[in-house]
């Protein structure tokens, strides 16, 4: 059984590397919580029977070949003496696990090399231990007063005014510079849609003809960077506009109810706010999080079986999710309510299956799934154009995160580049926004385009009101935190490590170390330290006073 388990884990590591370009990490731990989706995904993606049969054959062969080394040649030992030996080995194992840090493998500037030097089983249990990381315990900090003073300076924008002198309160009044437009908003976060797939972002060949065409009629953001490498990180940034604090996403943490969210603003304006997901929203705690933060929740369970053209373990085909969404939009329109909807797709995810006849591409390939995802967006808009609410609707099309997260660098910046297209032909003229923008900036930028004045506890800013030269973006994984500004990437990691590299925006290259800019380092620490503090202390919650601002 031990040989079988070791061989099985070795095979699992191979496939995990193929997907994430890393040894086991917190993603592996996280996925074990949701065994239905994960086991189903494995069964749909790999020839499991053949693989298990091969492992069983290899196990039997190793077991038989190793018989002579297992034969005892000591007939005089006692149970007690053997127990002492076994206890000694157990003690050495425990002490080694406690004394050896996974960071010892970080010996080169090539993250692939560092990961290959790791031990998968050890890395798995190290990830279990680090699933919740206390920022003040593991990361570089500033004095609390200094960090919050820095943050308030960083959050100052021409459209914002702090509501109090409390140094720990980041609540601002945001005043729009245009008349309010009560347009519907449809925010589509597409699973794993990296910018490089699209011709609008230089992809060659382009896998997204529909988005390419749409980009020429829209407000196109050319330099948007995702907050993280998991769906929950994207949802967290889009809903809460908060940097990716270390450890687990806020979407899955305890005490994540009643937070100040995008829905808070829209609900106070009289909108219906909805979250629609193509899979079962129990996965990654999505239904609970959105349902506890101002959204009506709809998922795969709300779609009648005869309305589903195709589905896999992760969810229904994007076109079926969009059909559900269109029905919900019609319902809100009939009730005379403007609507804000966050739609989260699933088709661009392994095993990469989709309805036949939509695109001329084989099943089971990532590139094919991208083509289908693009087709489905075009199909959604073709159907929506016939709706009475279409002309007064803002479509915001982006991604939850990029297609793959690994690279030579620890935080490979080029991997985090994702698209952002805002389409509303009657209200938003076609243009290109070339300034750097982070995923946390999408919510305040959309609200700014609508001309909404509101109370805010967002960390993001309306890019159209932010002064030139102040652009920045947050990127990270569950341990390493990045702050991208002025062509430097400040990196914070456990153990109080702080460094700076020159980001590569285009290719999978080493990102050389550069001298740390003390000002940028203090900005990075202030953002992440205060975000962790505010959430941990319940200070990112929505408040009744937030609704007091005149519409």
């Amino acid at each position: 059984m031990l040989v079988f388990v070791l061989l099985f884990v070795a095979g699992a590591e191979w496939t995990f590397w193929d997907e994430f370009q890393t040894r086991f990490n917190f993603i592996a731990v996280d996925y074990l919580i949701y065994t239905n989706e994960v086991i189903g995904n494995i069964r749909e993606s790999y020839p499991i029977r053949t693989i298990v049969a091969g492992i069983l054959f290899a196990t039997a062969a190793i077991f038989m070949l190793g018989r002579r080394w297992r034969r005892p040649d000591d007939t005089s030992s006692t149970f007690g003496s053997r127990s002492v030996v076994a206890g000694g080995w157990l003690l050495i194992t425990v002490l080694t696990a406690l004394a050896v840090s996974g960071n010892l493998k970080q010996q080169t500037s090539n993250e692939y090399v560092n990961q290959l030097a790791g031990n998968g089983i050890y890395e798995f249990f190290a990830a279990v231990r680090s699933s919740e990381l206390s920022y003040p315990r593991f990361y570089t900090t500033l004095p609390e007063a200094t960090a919050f003073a820095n943050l308030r300076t960083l959050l100052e924008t021409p459209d914002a005014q702090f509501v109090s002198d409390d140094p720990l309160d980041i609540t601002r009044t945001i005043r729009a510079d245009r008349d309010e437009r009560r347009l519907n908003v449809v925010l589509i976060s597409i699973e794993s849609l990296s910018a490089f797939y699209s011709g609008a972002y230089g992809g060659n060949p382009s896998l997204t003809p529909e988005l390419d065409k749409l980009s020429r009629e829209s407000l196109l953001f050319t330099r948007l960077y995702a907050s993280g490498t998991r769906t929950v990180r994207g949802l967290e940034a889009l809903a809460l506009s908060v940097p990716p604090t270390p450890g687990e996403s806020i979407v899955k943490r305890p005490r994540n109810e009643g937070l100040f969210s995008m829905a808070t603003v829209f609900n106070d304006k009289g909108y219906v706010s909805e979250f629609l997901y193509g899979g079962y929203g129990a996965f990654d705690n999505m239904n609970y999080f959105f349902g506890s933060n101002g959204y009506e929740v709809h998922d795969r369970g709300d779609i009648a079986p005869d309305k589903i053209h195709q589905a896999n373990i992760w969810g229904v085909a994007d076109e079926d999710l969009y059909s559900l969404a269109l029905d919900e939009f019609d319902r809100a329109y009939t009730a005379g309510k403007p609507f804000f909807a966050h739609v989260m797709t699933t088709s661009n995810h392994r095993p990469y299956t989709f309805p036949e006849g939509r695109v001329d591409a084989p099943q089971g390939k990532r590139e094919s799934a991208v083509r289908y995802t693009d087709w489905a967006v075009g199909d959604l808009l073709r159907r929506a154009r016939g709706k009475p609410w279409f002309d007064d609707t803002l479509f915001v099309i982006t991604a939850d995160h990029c297609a793959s997260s690994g690279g030579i660098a620890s935080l490979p910046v080029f991997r985090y580049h994702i698209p952002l297209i805002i389409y509303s032909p009657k209200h938003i003229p076609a243009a290109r926004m070339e300034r750097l923008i982070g995923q946390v900036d999408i919510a305040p930028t959309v609200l700014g385009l609508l001309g909404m004045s509101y109370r805010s506890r967002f960390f993001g800013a309306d890019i159209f009101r932010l002064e030139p030269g102040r652009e920045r973006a947050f990127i990270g994984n569950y341990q390493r935190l990045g702050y991208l500004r002025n062509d430097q990437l400040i990196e914070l990691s456990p153990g109080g490590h702080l460094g700076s590299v020159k980001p590569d925006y285009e290719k999978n290259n080493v990102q050389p170390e550069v001298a740390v800019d003390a000002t940028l380092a203090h900005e990075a620490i202030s953002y992440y330290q205060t975000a962790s503090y505010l959430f941990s202390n319940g200070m990112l919650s929505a408040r009744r006073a937030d609704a007091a601002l005149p519409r």
Side-chain angles (χ1 to χ4, degrees):
M1 286 190 68
L2 179 61
V3 172
F4 177 85
V5 169
L6 290 174
L7 290 175
F8 186 89
V9 169
E13 276 199 271
W14 188 288
T15 57
F16 191 82
W17 181 283
D18 182 55
E19 183 73 13
F20 299 106
Q21 298 84 48
T22 182
R23 292 280 189 180
F24 286 145
N25 58 21
F26 186 69
I27 296 174
V29 180
D30 211 24
Y31 275 9
L32 286 183
I33 299 172
Y34 303 99
T35 53
N36 179 62
E37 286 85 355
V38 174
I39 293 175
N41 182 39
I42 293 170
R43 291 178 62 186
E44 292 178 353
S45 302
Y46 301 99
I48 290 300
R49 292 184 180 181
T50 302
I51 292 174
V52 171
I55 293 175
L56 285 170
F57 178 81
T59 299
I62 293 171
F63 182 81
M64 295 301 293
L65 291 172
R67 281 185 302 171
R68 61 174 179 161
W69 285 288
R70 294 195 308 277
R71 290 173 182 161
D73 55 7
D74 176 12
T75 59
S76 60
S77 64
T78 64
F79 177 79
S81 63
R82 293 194 299 274
S83 298
V84 169
V85 173
W89 277 112
L90 179 61
L91 179 62
I92 292 171
T93 301
V94 172
L95 291 177
T96 302
L98 293 175
V100 176
S101 167
N103 291 329
L104 291 175
K105 70 181 184 300
Q106 304 297 123
Q107 299 293 322
T108 77
S109 60
N110 188 325
E111 190 62 15
Y112 289 142
V113 173
N114 296 334
Q115 288 297 324
L116 286 169
N119 177 290
I121 296 175
Y122 175 86
E123 295 291 336
F124 178 86
F125 287 101
V128 173
R129 295 200 301 269
S130 63
S131 61
E132 291 192 18
L133 292 173
S134 165
Y135 185 94
R137 179 179 175 187
F138 292 104
Y139 291 82
T140 302
T141 61
L142 294 169
E144 185 178 288
T146 301
F148 273 96
N150 290 344
L151 179 67
R152 285 172 70 94
T153 299
L154 292 166
L155 294 180
E156 288 179 352
T157 55
D159 59 340
Q161 181 179 1
F162 286 95
V163 302
S164 78
D165 294 327
D166 181 351
L168 304 185
D169 188 1
I170 66 169
T171 308
R172 289 100 64 210
T173 296
I174 306 296
R175 293 290 182 183
D177 61 350
R178 65 188 73 187
D179 292 335
E180 182 171 322
R181 298 183 288 187
R182 292 175 62 77
L183 304 178
N184 308 305
V185 176
V186 178
L187 169 60
I188 304 173
S189 51
I190 297 175
E191 172 69 38
S192 305
L193 188 66
S194 290
F196 60 71
Y197 287 131
S198 175
Y201 292 88
N204 186 18
S206 175
L207 303 179
T208 61
E210 295 286 349
L211 289 178
D212 295 348
K213 177 183 176 183
L214 193 67
S215 68
R216 295 189 289 270
E217 306 168 5
S218 306
L219 176 57
L220 176 71
F221 294 76
T222 63
R223 299 188 64 202
L224 169 68
Y225 289 87
S227 286
T229 59
R230 296 287 316 284
T231 296
V232 284
R233 283 302 190 189
L235 298 179
E236 170 189 87
L238 292 168
L240 304 179
S241 184
V242 65
T245 50
E248 187 57 273
S249 164
I250 290 174
V251 174
K252 300 179 65 178
R253 290 189 197 177
R255 300 181 299 279
N256 65 359
E257 306 88 354
L259 301 176
F260 184 87
S261 69
M262 209 168 175
T264 304
V265 179
F266 280 110
N267 290 345
D268 288 343
K269 300 286 187 180
Y271 281 62
V272 173
S273 296
E274 300 179 289
F275 175 71
L276 302 103
Y277 177 55
Y280 292 115
F283 182 76
D284 271 351
N285 201 45
M286 285 186 276
N287 278 0
Y288 181 81
F289 170 78
F290 283 98
S292 300
N293 287 288
Y295 295 77
E296 295 180 9
V297 175
H298 304 278
D299 66 2
R300 178 176 176 171
D302 294 321
I303 305 175
D306 62 343
K307 300 289 187 180
I308 298 175
H309 290 85
Q310 191 274 339
N312 57 40
I313 194 62
W314 288 110
V316 299
D318 288 355
E319 63 191 86
D320 299 326
L321 170 63
Y322 293 148
S323 293
L324 171 65
L326 290 170
D327 289 343
E328 290 299 319
F329 303 161
D330 289 342
R331 180 180 61 81
Y333 177 80
T334 301
K337 302 278 283 186
F339 54 84
F340 160 60
H342 184 158
V343 183
M344 180 68 226
T345 73
T346 60
S347 288
N348 190 29
H349 193 297
R350 190 181 294 277
Y352 309 123
T353 56
F354 46 88
E356 294 286 353
R358 301 300 192 253
V359 293
D360 184 15
Q363 297 281 342
K365 302 290 185 181
R366 183 190 289 273
E367 293 76 10
S368 303
V370 174
R371 292 182 184 275
Y372 169 72
T373 290
D374 175 70
W375 176 90
V377 171
D379 179 64
L380 165 66
L381 292 176
R382 283 188 289 271
R383 288 190 280 167
R385 286 188 183 99
K387 301 292 186 178
W389 44 260
F390 174 80
D391 284 345
D392 291 325
T393 299
L394 203 73
F395 291 89
V396 182
I397 302 170
T398 187
D400 58 344
H401 57 82
C402 47
S404 57
S405 57
I408 292 174
S410 298
L411 290 177
V413 170
F414 86 106
R415 295 281 194 204
Y416 289 79
H417 190 201
I418 58 174
L420 174 59
I421 295 171
I422 297 181
Y423 174 69
S424 184
K426 297 289 186 180
H427 301 280
I428 304 295
R432 291 172 65 91
M433 167 54 74
E434 306 282 357
R435 295 171 66 186
L436 175 69
I437 180 173
Q439 212 170 13
V440 299
D441 300 316
I442 293 178
T445 297
V446 169
L447 294 172
L449 288 172
L450 295 176
M452 288 189 173
S453 297
Y454 59 100
R455 288 277 184 90
S456 175
R457 271 179 289 285
F458 292 153
F459 278 73
D462 178 354
I463 191 63
F464 293 102
R465 304 296 299 277
L466 188 69
E467 302 94 328
R470 293 186 58 194
E471 302 88 353
R472 81 286 168 273
F474 305 95
I475 66 174
N477 53 41
Y478 75 100
Q479 283 192 324
R480 190 175 291 263
L481 311 174
Y483 180 66
L484 185 62
R485 187 177 178 196
N486 293 350
D487 284 332
Q488 279 199 36
L489 178 65
I490 303 295
E491 295 184 339
L492 308 172
S493 55
H497 299 295
L498 185 151
S500 181
V501 300
K502 184 173 180 57
D504 193 316
Y505 298 98
E506 302 295 335
K507 296 180 180 179
N508 189 16
N509 291 325
V510 171
Q511 297 180 154
E513 293 185 5
V514 296
V516 174
D517 183 313
T519 299
L520 296 185
H522 283 188
E523 290 178 6
I525 295 167
S526 298
Y527 271 120
Y528 284 111
Q529 180 179 336
T530 57
S532 297
Y533 179 95
L534 290 171
F535 174 75
S536 298
N537 289 275
M539 299 172 69
L540 293 180
S541 299
R543 306 170 190 169
R544 288 187 177 182
D546 297 334
L549 198 64
R551 296 174 185 169

Short mmCIF file of all heavy atoms in Angstrom, two decimals, residues 53-79:
data_model
loop_
_atom_site.label_atom_id
_atom_site.label_comp_id
_atom_site.label_asym_id
_atom_site.label_seq_id
_atom_site.Cartn_x
_atom_site.Cartn_y
_atom_site.Cartn_z
N ALA A 53 -4.37 1.11 -13.33
CA ALA A 53 -3.89 -0.23 -13.67
C ALA A 53 -2.38 -0.24 -13.82
O ALA A 53 -1.69 -1.17 -13.35
CB ALA A 53 -4.56 -0.70 -14.96
N GLY A 54 -1.83 0.80 -14.46
CA GLY A 54 -0.38 0.88 -14.60
C GLY A 54 0.31 1.01 -13.26
O GLY A 54 1.37 0.40 -13.02
N ILE A 55 -0.27 1.80 -12.34
CA ILE A 55 0.32 1.96 -11.02
C ILE A 55 0.26 0.65 -10.24
O ILE A 55 1.21 0.27 -9.54
CB ILE A 55 -0.39 3.10 -10.25
CG1 ILE A 55 -0.12 4.44 -10.93
CG2 ILE A 55 0.06 3.14 -8.79
CD1 ILE A 55 -0.88 5.60 -10.32
N LEU A 56 -0.86 -0.07 -10.36
CA LEU A 56 -0.97 -1.36 -9.68
C LEU A 56 0.07 -2.35 -10.20
O LEU A 56 0.69 -3.09 -9.42
CB LEU A 56 -2.38 -1.93 -9.87
CG LEU A 56 -3.49 -1.28 -9.04
CD1 LEU A 56 -4.86 -1.77 -9.49
CD2 LEU A 56 -3.29 -1.57 -7.55
N PHE A 57 0.27 -2.36 -11.52
CA PHE A 57 1.28 -3.26 -12.10
C PHE A 57 2.67 -2.90 -11.59
O PHE A 57 3.45 -3.77 -11.20
CB PHE A 57 1.23 -3.17 -13.63
CG PHE A 57 2.26 -4.02 -14.32
CD1 PHE A 57 2.04 -5.38 -14.50
CD2 PHE A 57 3.45 -3.45 -14.75
CE1 PHE A 57 3.00 -6.17 -15.12
CE2 PHE A 57 4.41 -4.24 -15.37
CZ PHE A 57 4.19 -5.60 -15.57
N ALA A 58 2.99 -1.58 -11.60
CA ALA A 58 4.30 -1.15 -11.12
C ALA A 58 4.47 -1.46 -9.64
O ALA A 58 5.56 -1.86 -9.19
CB ALA A 58 4.48 0.34 -11.38
N THR A 59 3.40 -1.31 -8.86
CA THR A 59 3.44 -1.61 -7.43
C THR A 59 3.77 -3.08 -7.20
O THR A 59 4.62 -3.44 -6.37
CB THR A 59 2.11 -1.25 -6.76
OG1 THR A 59 1.86 0.15 -6.92
CG2 THR A 59 2.11 -1.60 -5.29
N ALA A 60 3.07 -3.95 -7.92
CA ALA A 60 3.30 -5.39 -7.77
C ALA A 60 4.73 -5.75 -8.15
O ALA A 60 5.39 -6.55 -7.46
CB ALA A 60 2.31 -6.16 -8.64
N ALA A 61 5.24 -5.14 -9.23
CA ALA A 61 6.60 -5.46 -9.67
C ALA A 61 7.61 -5.02 -8.63
O ALA A 61 8.54 -5.77 -8.28
CB ALA A 61 6.87 -4.77 -11.01
N ILE A 62 7.47 -3.80 -8.11
CA ILE A 62 8.41 -3.31 -7.09
C ILE A 62 8.31 -4.15 -5.83
O ILE A 62 9.32 -4.48 -5.19
CB ILE A 62 8.12 -1.82 -6.80
CG1 ILE A 62 8.45 -0.97 -8.02
CG2 ILE A 62 8.91 -1.35 -5.58
CD1 ILE A 62 8.01 0.47 -7.89
N PHE A 63 7.09 -4.53 -5.44
CA PHE A 63 6.89 -5.33 -4.25
C PHE A 63 7.59 -6.69 -4.37
O PHE A 63 8.29 -7.14 -3.45
CB PHE A 63 5.40 -5.52 -4.00
CG PHE A 63 5.08 -6.30 -2.75
CD1 PHE A 63 5.09 -5.67 -1.51
CD2 PHE A 63 4.78 -7.65 -2.80
CE1 PHE A 63 4.80 -6.37 -0.36
CE2 PHE A 63 4.49 -8.37 -1.65
CZ PHE A 63 4.49 -7.73 -0.42
N MET A 64 7.43 -7.31 -5.52
CA MET A 64 8.03 -8.63 -5.72
C MET A 64 9.55 -8.54 -5.78
O MET A 64 10.27 -9.35 -5.20
CB MET A 64 7.49 -9.26 -7.00
CG MET A 64 5.99 -9.55 -6.96
SD MET A 64 5.52 -10.68 -5.62
CE MET A 64 6.33 -12.20 -6.16
N LEU A 65 10.07 -7.54 -6.49
CA LEU A 65 11.52 -7.39 -6.63
C LEU A 65 12.18 -7.03 -5.30
O LEU A 65 13.38 -7.30 -5.09
CB LEU A 65 11.84 -6.32 -7.67
CG LEU A 65 11.50 -6.67 -9.12
CD1 LEU A 65 11.68 -5.46 -10.02
CD2 LEU A 65 12.39 -7.83 -9.60
N GLY A 66 11.42 -6.44 -4.39
CA GLY A 66 12.01 -6.01 -3.13
C GLY A 66 11.84 -6.99 -1.99
O GLY A 66 12.16 -6.66 -0.84
N ARG A 67 11.37 -8.21 -2.30
CA ARG A 67 11.09 -9.16 -1.21
C ARG A 67 12.31 -9.49 -0.38
O ARG A 67 12.26 -9.52 0.84
CB ARG A 67 10.51 -10.45 -1.79
CG ARG A 67 9.03 -10.37 -2.13
CD ARG A 67 8.50 -11.71 -2.59
NE ARG A 67 9.25 -12.21 -3.75
CZ ARG A 67 9.12 -13.42 -4.24
NH1 ARG A 67 8.28 -14.29 -3.68
NH2 ARG A 67 9.83 -13.80 -5.30
N ARG A 68 13.45 -9.71 -1.02
CA ARG A 68 14.61 -10.18 -0.25
C ARG A 68 15.14 -9.12 0.70
O ARG A 68 15.75 -9.44 1.70
CB ARG A 68 15.71 -10.66 -1.19
CG ARG A 68 16.27 -9.60 -2.12
CD ARG A 68 17.45 -10.17 -2.87
NE ARG A 68 18.02 -9.23 -3.81
CZ ARG A 68 19.25 -9.34 -4.30
NH1 ARG A 68 20.01 -10.35 -3.94
NH2 ARG A 68 19.71 -8.45 -5.17
N TRP A 69 14.92 -7.84 0.36
CA TRP A 69 15.38 -6.78 1.27
C TRP A 69 14.43 -6.60 2.45
O TRP A 69 14.77 -5.95 3.42
CB TRP A 69 15.49 -5.46 0.50
CG TRP A 69 16.70 -5.44 -0.40
CD1 TRP A 69 18.01 -5.33 -0.02
CD2 TRP A 69 16.70 -5.57 -1.82
NE1 TRP A 69 18.83 -5.39 -1.11
CE2 TRP A 69 18.06 -5.52 -2.24
CE3 TRP A 69 15.70 -5.73 -2.79
CZ2 TRP A 69 18.42 -5.61 -3.58
CZ3 TRP A 69 16.08 -5.82 -4.11
CH2 TRP A 69 17.41 -5.76 -4.50
N ARG A 70 13.23 -7.16 2.36
CA ARG A 70 12.28 -7.04 3.46
C ARG A 70 12.33 -8.21 4.42
O ARG A 70 11.69 -8.19 5.45
CB ARG A 70 10.85 -6.90 2.91
CG ARG A 70 10.58 -5.64 2.13
CD ARG A 70 9.08 -5.41 1.94
NE ARG A 70 8.42 -6.57 1.39
CZ ARG A 70 8.37 -6.88 0.09
NH1 ARG A 70 8.97 -6.08 -0.78
NH2 ARG A 70 7.74 -7.95 -0.35
N ARG A 71 13.08 -9.27 4.08
CA ARG A 71 13.12 -10.45 4.95
C ARG A 71 13.91 -10.15 6.22
O ARG A 71 15.05 -9.69 6.16
CB ARG A 71 13.80 -11.62 4.23
CG ARG A 71 12.94 -12.18 3.10
CD ARG A 71 13.71 -13.20 2.31
NE ARG A 71 12.93 -13.72 1.19
CZ ARG A 71 13.45 -14.34 0.13
NH1 ARG A 71 14.76 -14.50 0.05
NH2 ARG A 71 12.67 -14.78 -0.83
N PRO A 72 13.33 -10.37 7.38
CA PRO A 72 14.05 -10.10 8.63
C PRO A 72 15.15 -11.13 8.86
O PRO A 72 14.97 -12.32 8.64
CB PRO A 72 12.95 -10.20 9.70
CG PRO A 72 11.94 -11.12 9.11
CD PRO A 72 11.97 -10.88 7.62
N ASP A 73 16.34 -10.67 9.28
CA ASP A 73 17.42 -11.59 9.62
C ASP A 73 17.71 -11.56 11.12
O ASP A 73 18.72 -12.07 11.57
CB ASP A 73 18.68 -11.25 8.84
CG ASP A 73 19.10 -9.80 9.02
OD1 ASP A 73 18.48 -9.12 9.88
OD2 ASP A 73 20.03 -9.35 8.33
N ASP A 74 16.80 -10.92 11.86
CA ASP A 74 16.97 -10.81 13.31
C ASP A 74 15.80 -11.52 13.97
O ASP A 74 14.66 -11.10 13.88
CB ASP A 74 17.00 -9.34 13.71
CG ASP A 74 17.07 -9.17 15.23
OD1 ASP A 74 17.33 -10.16 15.93
OD2 ASP A 74 16.86 -8.03 15.70
N THR A 75 16.08 -12.60 14.66
CA THR A 75 15.03 -13.37 15.32
C THR A 75 15.05 -13.19 16.84
O THR A 75 14.27 -13.81 17.54
CB THR A 75 15.17 -14.86 15.00
OG1 THR A 75 16.47 -15.31 15.43
CG2 THR A 75 15.00 -15.10 13.50
N SER A 76 15.97 -12.33 17.33
CA SER A 76 16.11 -12.21 18.78
C SER A 76 15.55 -10.92 19.35
O SER A 76 15.52 -10.75 20.57
CB SER A 76 17.60 -12.30 19.16
OG SER A 76 18.32 -11.25 18.54
N SER A 77 15.12 -9.96 18.47
CA SER A 77 14.62 -8.68 18.99
C SER A 77 13.26 -8.87 19.66
O SER A 77 12.54 -9.84 19.38
CB SER A 77 14.53 -7.65 17.86
OG SER A 77 13.57 -8.06 16.91
N THR A 78 12.93 -7.90 20.52
CA THR A 78 11.64 -7.93 21.22
C THR A 78 10.74 -6.81 20.69
O THR A 78 11.21 -5.90 20.01
CB THR A 78 11.86 -7.73 22.72
OG1 THR A 78 12.39 -6.42 22.93
CG2 THR A 78 12.82 -8.78 23.28
N PHE A 79 9.48 -6.91 21.06
CA PHE A 79 8.54 -5.86 20.66
C PHE A 79 8.97 -4.51 21.21
O PHE A 79 8.88 -3.48 20.53
CB PHE A 79 7.14 -6.22 21.15
CG PHE A 79 6.11 -5.16 20.84
CD1 PHE A 79 5.56 -5.05 19.57
CD2 PHE A 79 5.70 -4.26 21.83
CE1 PHE A 79 4.63 -4.07 19.28
CE2 PHE A 79 4.77 -3.28 21.54
CZ PHE A 79 4.23 -3.19 20.26
#
